[in-house]
Amino acid sequence: MTTPEAVVNVGADLLADAVADQAVPVTRVDWRPPMDGTAADLATVAADPRRQAANERALAAMLGVTATLVDVLPASEALGLEPGQFLHAGPPIGWDRASGPLRGALMGGAALEGLVADPEDAAALFEAGTSVSLEPCHHRSAVGPMAGVVTPSMWVFVLEDPATGRRSYCSLNEGLGKVLRYGAYSPEVITRLRWMGDVLGPLLQRAVRTVRDSEAGPVDVTGILTQMLQMGDEAHNRNRAGTLMLLRDLSPALVGSIGSAGSDPADVAEALRFIGANDHFFLNLAMPACKLALDAARGIDGSTMVVAMARNGTDFGIQVAGTGDEWFTGPAQLADGLFLGDYGPEDANPDIGDSAITETAGIGGFAMATAPAIVRFVGGSVPDALATTRRMHEITLGENPRWSVPVLEFQGTPTGIDVTMVCRTGILPQINTGMAGKLAGVGQVGAGLVTPPAEIFPKALARLAELACPRS
């Protein structure tokens, strides 16, 4: 037998090791069998004649959306929330299965709305369930970070796709540490939320409307996302450049509101300090921008593209373009990362929040390579960040030319998670996330990396197989 000049080995290393020991160059190809029990469904979905065109249409629809900041409104007005109605992150859940941070945020929200005098009294209110209701943010075109609790008096950003007029919404970011979205409800949390409702929201409304109605037009959120990814942000756990660019666009109008619009100079100064000191402020614009884009791909029969990943602290759920608004859920996972102060893994709640909408759209953990500084916040290394972005290309339908990664020769970020590719490769989407304390009232305990529970993708695949059209 002639000695081969080179060998390609697929899968297990037994043959590769033996050949390499004989001084023959070996190229090793990482391969693994499809997820258990998915072979038949993969074959059925792969044979669906609608799939390729449907996925091309879904990806194009998502990439065709741009997001502009057109208003800031109370949630009662923007989302139609009435007293006693609460939105939350993730798939549907009731009080009986709600995690500690979600319970804490709901209790604080009840106090904010004046339904109880003390947040501790709100537990009985939610246990009875007669005068309150819970609903996912996603069901009202909104997204919420971490617990994602939105109440009628909270103010929300309003984003709009100028081509279609469709809108998405997200609450205003409170900062880090002891904040409602991490389940904290101490008096300082409620006081800050009341200031945001009484002062910050109205100030931002005046500024956003002034910019929107100016010759320059509304703040281009998609444009800021494009620039911030070139400046070291991945738009999930690092939003420093994005926040500063938003301040650049809104500051003149905020300052200009003094006098003519009757804004108090001290209030404007405090608003500028609050936003400038909160590197995550832009996250609450990045998330609805991603939501707006992904919602454009909903309801496309035959498409296997994921349009939402969200967690409520108990369940992790996904929605797929070709399966309507159906949720496919599994248990939320614990993140692996770094902890604040004396907190440790035993203090952390399982993964929570709608912020994985950023990864669903191709940024956040999918754009780790563009934000090497983020590895110091969530753990890991710079080579890990590069490898993560490259690995996510194996489970996505395409790239986003707007969101390119300089260190990867300006390659677009991996975009459009494909259920079939996840099931075929076993590679799970990578998510950057904060970590909330598992007990109500604690707040943030750390930040890290997490993946969805693997079983939700075979569940979605099985449903796609049921809906598949046979070849004629």
Side-chain angles (χ1 to χ4, degrees):
M1 177 179 175
T2 304
T3 302
E5 295 182 358
V7 171
V8 175
N9 182 77
V10 178
D13 286 330
L14 182 63
L15 175 64
D17 292 342
V19 173
D21 288 344
Q22 298 174 56
V24 176
V26 180
T27 300
R28 301 171 192 256
V29 178
D30 186 19
W31 179 87
R32 68 194 73 183
M35 289 180 171
D36 289 344
T38 61
D41 289 335
L42 277 171
T44 300
V45 174
D48 188 339
R50 305 169 303 170
R51 183 173 64 94
Q52 181 174 349
N55 279 339
E56 290 174 354
R57 183 180 158 204
L59 185 63
M62 178 177 66
L63 296 178
V65 172
T66 57
T68 55
L69 175 59
V70 297
D71 214 341
V72 184
L73 293 168
S76 58
E77 185 176 342
L79 302 171
L81 286 186
E82 297 179 354
Q85 292 183 319
F86 294 78
L87 301 187
H88 64 82
I93 194 169
W95 175 262
D96 57 325
R97 297 183 63 244
S99 62
L102 178 53
R103 287 189 173 197
L106 290 168
M107 293 160 68
L112 177 69
E113 295 301 313
L115 301 179
V116 292
D118 186 332
E120 297 288 349
D121 297 334
L125 190 74
F126 288 105
E127 286 172 1
T130 52
S131 59
V132 295
S133 64
L134 308 183
E135 182 183 5
C137 293
H138 269 287
H139 292 188
R140 298 211 185 198
S141 300
V143 279
M146 302 310 290
V149 167
V150 181
T151 67
S153 70
M154 290 182 179
W155 287 62
V156 297
F157 289 120
V158 183
L159 272 61
E160 183 175 284
D161 175 14
T164 63
R166 288 189 308 102
R167 291 187 167 191
S168 62
Y169 311 90
C170 188
S171 55
L172 311 183
N173 194 283
E174 313 160 71
L176 294 174
K178 286 195 174 296
V179 289
L180 190 83
R181 73 178 188 278
Y182 279 97
Y185 53 75
S186 59
E188 68 187 90
V189 175
I190 305 302
T191 298
R192 185 190 304 115
L193 287 170
R194 290 196 169 124
W195 173 79
M196 292 173 70
D198 294 340
V199 178
L200 182 63
L203 281 176
L204 285 173
Q205 183 185 69
R206 291 187 201 116
V208 167
R209 288 180 175 181
T210 298
V211 173
R212 178 195 66 191
D213 298 337
S214 70
E215 186 176 342
V219 173
D220 181 356
V221 177
T222 301
I224 291 179
L225 278 165
T226 298
Q227 294 176 65
M228 63 194 281
L229 288 174
Q230 305 278 318
M231 299 166 68
D233 286 352
E234 41 72 89
H236 187 168
N237 260 331
R238 184 178 169 88
N239 288 271
R240 183 167 296 179
T243 297
L244 292 175
M245 281 188 278
L246 179 67
L247 262 183
R248 174 201 62 188
D249 289 350
L250 293 183
S251 292
L254 278 167
V255 174
S257 70
I258 299 172
S260 60
S263 297
D264 186 288
D267 288 340
V268 172
E270 182 57 26
L272 291 171
R273 274 194 295 270
F274 179 79
I275 298 170
N278 177 7
D279 289 341
H280 282 67
F281 196 77
F282 189 80
L283 172 63
N284 292 41
L285 287 164
M287 288 174 56
C290 293
K291 168 74 175 169
L292 193 62
L294 287 157
D295 275 0
R298 284 180 178 269
I300 298 179
D301 292 340
S303 173
T304 56
M305 193 178 88
V306 177
V307 294
M309 296 194 293
R311 317 82 99 195
N312 55 37
T314 303
D315 307 314
F316 191 120
I318 61 171
Q319 294 178 307
V320 181
T323 57
D325 292 333
E326 188 173 353
W327 288 96
F328 305 96
T329 63
Q333 309 290 295
L334 283 168
D336 181 18
L338 303 177
F339 292 89
L340 303 175
D342 295 331
Y343 292 121
E346 68 280 3
D347 301 308
N349 193 78
D351 196 22
I352 185 170
D354 286 336
S355 54
I357 196 72
T358 56
E359 278 82 7
T360 318
I363 51 179
F366 282 46
M368 287 279 280
T370 205
I374 194 65
V375 300
R376 300 190 67 181
F377 186 57
V378 298
S381 66
V382 172
D384 289 340
L386 293 170
T388 296
T389 295
R390 290 190 175 110
R391 189 168 65 252
M392 293 302 100
H393 281 283
E394 297 187 39
I395 58 170
T396 46
L397 295 166
E399 299 173 358
N400 189 332
R402 284 196 185 96
W403 299 339
S404 60
V405 181
V407 74
L408 295 180
E409 301 294 340
F410 295 94
Q411 182 182 22
T413 58
T415 303
I417 300 168
D418 185 353
V419 169
T420 66
M421 292 182 182
V422 174
C423 291
R424 199 173 62 203
T425 64
I427 297 173
L428 296 172
Q430 182 68 66
I431 299 166
N432 294 346
T433 188
M435 284 187 272
K438 65 182 179 183
L439 299 179
V442 170
Q444 185 178 13
V445 299
L449 305 173
V450 72
T451 58
E455 60 264 38
I456 59 179
F457 293 96
K459 288 180 181 177
L461 181 70
R463 182 63 176 144
L464 288 163
E466 289 177 2
L467 298 172
C469 290
R471 288 187 185 278
S472 56

